[in-house]
Amino acid sequence: MKSRSILHGLMGLLSLLGFIGIFTEERAFLAFFAFVVDFEYFFIKTDEMLEEYLDKSASLGFYCGMIVTAVVTLIYFFANSHGGHSALLYGIVSGWAVSVAVHGLSIGYYSFKEGWILGHDKE
C-alpha cells in the first residue's frame, strides 16, 4: 500500500506548473498550485478506507470528466460552429478541469465524512 500513497503524493508535482504563471504572463497556470496539497499523502498512514476513498473519487472524477468532455465538444462543434480541433480542445480542457475538481471535492467530502463519523463514535 505504501507504493500507492507515493503515487498519490507524486501528484503534488503538478504544482510545479504553477511557477509558469509566476514567471510568465499566463496567470491560468497559477491554478496548478492547488495540487500542492497532494504532497500530504507522503506523510499520511494509509489504510483500507483511505485507499477506497481515493479509488472512489478517482473513478467518479474520471467518469464526470469524460461526460463533460463529450458534452462540451458536441456543443462547441454543433452549436457554436467551431472547427473539430478547437471544439475538441475546449472539450478536453473542460473535462480535465471537471475531473480534477470532482476528484478533489469528493476526497474532501469522504475525509470530512470519515472524521465526522469518527468524532461522533460512542466507543
Side-chain angles (χ1 to χ4, degrees), residues 93-105:
V93 168
S94 300
W96 187 80
V98 165
S99 67
V100 168
V102 167
H103 175 69
L105 291 173

Side-chain angles (χ1 to χ4, degrees), residues 15-121:
S15 65
L16 296 176
L17 291 174
F19 287 107
I20 295 174
I22 292 175
F23 298 122
T24 66
E25 296 297 319
E26 300 295 328
R27 298 296 179 218
F29 280 95
L30 294 174
F32 281 99
F33 281 127
F35 285 100
V36 78
V37 298
D38 289 333
F39 285 126
E40 75 179 336
Y41 293 112
F42 286 132
F43 309 107
I44 292 177
K45 185 176 187 259
T46 60
D47 59 355
E48 292 82 19
M49 290 304 291
L50 178 65
E51 292 292 327
E52 182 182 337
Y53 294 158
L54 288 171
D55 290 342
K56 283 171 53 175
S57 66
S59 64
L60 181 63
F62 173 77
Y63 290 124
C64 289
M66 290 296 104
I67 291 168
V68 167
T69 298
V71 169
V72 169
T73 301
L74 290 173
I75 288 172
Y76 270 91
F77 186 73
F78 289 116
N80 292 340
S81 300
H82 284 283
H85 293 292
S86 64
L88 184 60
L89 178 65
Y90 286 122
I92 289 172
V93 168
S94 300
W96 187 80
V98 165
S99 67
V100 168
V102 167
H103 175 69
L105 291 173
S106 61
I107 281 290
Y109 169 75
Y110 293 137
S111 299
F112 175 75
K113 182 177 148 184
E114 181 182 21
W116 188 76
I117 290 172
L118 289 176
H120 288 70
D121 194 14

